[in-house]
Amino acid sequence: LTKPVPDPAAGAERLGPDFRLDRGASPSVVNGNDEYALEAALQLVEAHGGEVAILSMAPANATDTMRKALAMGALRGVLVTDPALAGADLPTTIRVLAAAAAGESFDLLLAGLDTSDGQGGAVAAGVAARLGLPLLSNAGAIDPDPATGRVQVRRLSAKGYDVIESPMPAVISCTQALGAPRYPSLKGIMAARSREIAQKAVADLPEAAVPADGVWATRVVEAEKPPARAAGRVVKAPPGEAAREIADFLAGRRII
Amino acid sequence: MPPVILAVAEVADGSLTRLSSEIATLARQLAESAGGSAVGLVVDAAPDAAAADLASYLPLVVAVTAPAVAGEVWAPHAAAEVRRLAGEGITHVLAGATVDGRDLAGTLVGLLDWGLLANASGATWSGDSPEVEAAVLGAKAITKSVLTGNTGIVTVRPNAVETSKAAAAGTVESRTAEGAATPAAAVLERVAEAGAEASLEEARVVVVGGRGVGSPEGFGIVDDLAAVLGGVVGATRASVDAGWIGYARQIGQTGKVVKPSLYLGLGVSGAMQHRVGMQSAESIVAVNRDPDAPIAEVADLFVIGDLFEVGPALLTELRARRGS
Ligand SMILES: Cc1cc2nc3c(=O)[nH]c(=O)nc-3n(C[C@H](O)[C@H](O)[C@H](O)COP(=O)(O)OP(=O)(O)OC[C@H]3O[C@@H](n4cnc5c(N)ncnc54)[C@H](O)[C@@H]3O)c2cc1C
Ligand SMILES: Nc1ncnc2c1ncn2[C@@H]1O[C@H](COP(=O)(O)O)[C@@H](O)[C@H]1O
């Protein structure tokens, strides 16, 4: 599962007047965490065989961003795109992605842990629940065993990690701990141009219906820039003096 | 129809997490202003101690004894209990914006088709819905969002509310477990990394070592300062990727979001992806030898200097003041 998101590095993401993401305001990239998922998927097929396909729900022009993922080595893409899905809420996103995934056969469905433009971090679990599949979340390492049909995941926890295991097929949410994504090679970029991106609309996915009343489950009512922090004090002094300055500051704020 | 708000608690090492008491407080406050009611839920192999604690915040707590949680991931079991309670009239679910809480929230959206307001840093009741404040787009915007229907889920970040107990303790209703709502992965092993006992997200003081600390040993001064300040050690992605410290310590876009009283950064440049995880700290102090490091833009006190000189001097100063 890869989601095109506004490039956080460009720093131009903003919400439009309707409080929806203004997708024209910033160039799109593959969501950072999804690149780790894609890298993990590519390494898994290099080790065990098989193929990597990508699935996105996004505006029609997302094919450009999807080609970047294909250039890394994915063999084909499925893009669910439909004007009726603009600004889709989480339940709908989950229904749509689950319905589209149900049309494919797979051993592992990898998602990013969360997205830089929403950070809900709920899609993988929701898709797993709708598909009736186990969820292996927060993966820092993925180790499938084709012989037993089971997969082990190192699940990063607040304290360290847990080793968890389930039968395949399974849904896995992926973290940066899986390792840095590769850069697409020139050959990959060329090959990606001719790889198939199949487009689907809501009508092609009967399970995926949008709410009949056309009302999304959640609505943003207000958006503002975070309050700017007041300019701080700058200290350039010998270590002992700087240390006293810090200690005075902490005492002034009743931290010590 | 008045809302019935469920606070889903998490248990760590047998006791209620601090975030769970915050969520319970929030559920009670929302229910009070909505004219509804609040209920707590604990799902654990041994829920009783945590449930008793939770009942000091809420009029009613459901304690589910789920032995399977000892050897399987928690969310599918918790989801089964929430679904059962939804059938009994619960309208809103509050869970932690934690690893387990997010899994639960997503699972519930998949099962119940309810809306989700994620990562609340605050919430009030407004009209027919909680109005939830959350940072989006890497904290470039703060939004307030509502549910358009009468049911929904909210995940809550640490420190969204001050905990406060109810006037009188509530009752605990014990139940046996339903069994998992979705296939639950088996937990083969739980590994705690050194120094990771304290929760970064709940810490009042966070001392962070960036690439500037230079080595695993370089974290020594970070550890010492954290110890003397009663704080927890955090890291940047650069120091995590270098292998000097575990990923559980990373603060930022792909790590944890912290909101401590004090953030003290040593050798941290303050990249945007790091700032989204720490810029709502009450006080920010940074030590960096580069006067142009971007962290200066958010620091209340920016010290230009070498962390290996200023750090030990600060340690001495703090120890001296504590001694006096
Ligand atoms: C998709 C994506 C997600 C990311 N997510 C995160 C995230 O979650 N968290 C995160 O932190 N980063 C994240 N990053 C990385 C981020 O962009 C920065 O690279 C990272 O935060 C830099 O870490 P740093 O400040 O430790 O290192 P640097 O940027 O290398 O800064 C080190 C600083 O230490 C100073 N210094 C060096 N030696 C000393 C000394 N002896 N005394 C004093 N100062 C010294 C230097 O002047 C410098 O300012 C992400 C990047 C991407 C692309
Ligand atoms: N529109 C989408 N298309 C494809 N994948 C998505 C989409 N939205 C979310 N995902 C996947 O779900 C993960 C978590 O997203 P979220 O729950 O929105 O933070 C992402 O990292 C993606 O892998």
Side-chain angles (χ1 to χ4, degrees):
Chain A
L1 296 176
T2 55
K3 182 182 184 187
V5 297
D7 185 356
E13 313 118 289
R14 58 182 162 84
L15 297 175
D18 57 354
F19 301 133
R20 282 187 193 163
L21 190 60
D22 183 349
R23 294 199 181 266
S26 185
S28 278
V29 295
V30 176
N31 176 47
N33 278 325
D34 302 357
E35 289 195 336
Y36 301 117
L38 183 54
E39 177 62 36
L42 293 169
Q43 288 186 16
L44 288 172
V45 302
E46 281 159 12
H48 301 280
E51 69 154 37
V52 178
I54 56 172
L55 168 60
S56 301
M57 179 189 101
N61 62 9
T63 46
D64 289 350
T65 312
M66 290 176 79
R67 296 243 175 250
K68 293 179 196 163
L70 294 175
M72 280 172 67
L75 286 187
R76 64 192 175 87
V78 177
L79 171 63
V80 184
T81 186
D82 198 312
L85 292 173
D89 60 10
L90 184 69
T92 304
T93 303
I94 287 172
R95 277 198 310 277
V96 167
L97 292 173
E104 306 283 330
S105 75
F106 56 85
D107 299 300
L108 294 174
L109 182 62
L110 307 192
L113 178 64
D114 56 16
T115 42
S116 55
D117 63 342
Q119 303 179 0
V123 164
V127 169
R130 283 201 79 87
L131 294 174
L133 296 178
L135 168 74
L136 303 147
S137 68
N138 235 27
I142 304 172
D143 187 13
D145 183 350
T148 59
R150 299 181 70 84
V151 59
Q152 271 191 19
V153 157
R154 179 182 281 220
R155 179 185 192 238
L156 305 178
S157 67
K159 294 185 170 178
Y161 63 89
D162 300 337
V163 180
I164 62 175
E165 188 192 64
S166 82
M168 296 188 279
V171 179
I172 302 180
S173 70
C174 299
T175 70
Q176 136 214 342
L178 287 162
R182 66 193 62 189
Y183 289 101
S185 64
L186 188 61
K187 207 171 124 213
I189 294 169
M190 301 302 285
R193 289 196 187 147
S194 57
R195 287 194 181 139
E196 185 203 1
I197 298 180
Q199 298 214 4
K200 293 193 173 167
V202 172
D204 302 325
L205 304 165
E207 294 272 297
V210 295
D213 56 6
V215 179
W216 303 123
T218 51
R219 187 161 52 87
V220 178
V221 291
E222 205 178 302
E224 54 191 34
K225 281 204 147 107
R229 293 188 77 98
R233 224 157 66 73
V234 178
V235 170
K236 191 172 187 211
E241 205 181 314
R244 276 193 296 283
E245 289 267 4
I246 299 175
D248 288 345
F249 173 86
L250 299 182
R253 299 238 172 161
R254 300 189 177 284
I255 293 161
I256 55 168
Chain B
M1 198 184 60
V4 185
I5 302 174
L6 181 70
V8 185
E10 289 181 41
V11 181
D13 303 321
S15 27
L16 197 64
T17 62
R18 195 179 94 201
L19 176 58
S20 299
S21 5
E22 292 172 358
I23 289 171
T25 304
L26 186 60
R28 196 184 72 237
Q29 289 170 350
L30 289 173
E32 274 164 14
S33 42
S37 52
V39 181
L41 172 66
V42 181
V43 181
D44 195 55
D48 295 341
D53 199 359
L54 193 63
S56 60
Y57 298 91
L58 293 164
L60 175 64
V61 170
V62 176
V64 180
T65 305
V69 167
E72 290 179 358
V73 292
W74 175 81
H77 295 278
E81 305 305 329
V82 175
R83 184 170 60 180
R84 172 158 69 165
L85 289 164
E88 297 170 12
I90 294 291
T91 55
H92 295 81
V93 179
L94 306 189
T98 58
V99 175
D100 278 336
R102 286 180 176 163
D103 286 356
L104 171 65
T107 303
L108 289 172
V109 177
L111 293 176
L112 302 174
D113 234 5
W114 288 6
L116 171 70
L117 299 172
N119 299 331
S121 55
T124 54
W125 192 268
S126 160
D128 301 321
S129 166
E131 184 173 283
V132 161
E133 187 183 282
V136 298
L137 296 179
K140 285 191 198 63
I142 310 280
T143 56
K144 286 188 176 158
S145 309
V146 296
L147 298 158
T148 53
N150 296 321
T151 53
I153 304 158
V154 180
T155 54
V156 183
R157 287 220 192 263
N159 307 316
V161 286
E162 288 279 331
T163 59
S164 78
K165 296 198 172 181
T171 51
V172 175
E173 180 191 316
S174 295
R175 293 189 176 185
T176 49
E178 286 270 273
T182 55
V187 179
L188 306 183
E189 196 185 350
R190 295 183 206 269
V191 179
E193 277 167 358
E197 296 76 25
S199 163
L200 193 55
E201 286 165 298
E202 297 183 1
R204 292 288 179 198
V205 172
V206 174
V207 185
V208 175
R211 199 198 307 269
V213 304
S215 65
E217 298 72 45
F219 261 98
I221 185 63
V222 180
D223 292 337
D224 291 347
L225 285 169
V228 71
L229 288 166
V232 174
V233 173
T236 65
R237 171 152 162 202
S239 48
V240 171
D241 281 353
W244 304 336
I245 189 164
Y247 173 68
R249 308 277 96 196
Q250 180 172 321
I251 293 169
Q253 182 183 313
T254 40
K256 304 225 158 76
V257 176
V258 299
K259 199 174 151 187
S261 304
L262 171 67
Y263 170 103
L264 172 59
L266 304 175
V268 175
S269 65
M272 186 47 91
Q273 292 93 348
H274 185 69
R275 272 152 63 170
V276 303
M278 49 66 78
Q279 64 194 6
S280 49
E282 271 164 47
S283 298
I284 298 176
V285 178
V287 180
N288 196 307
R289 64 181 178 199
D290 174 6
D292 298 320
I295 197 156
E297 292 162 23
V298 293
D300 302 294
L301 184 65
F302 181 65
V303 176
I304 303 167
D306 191 309
L307 73 93
F308 294 110
E309 293 171 3
V310 178
L314 178 59
L315 193 60
T316 309
E317 181 71 26
L318 291 173
R319 284 186 176 147
R321 291 198 190 198
R322 175 189 272 184
S324 65

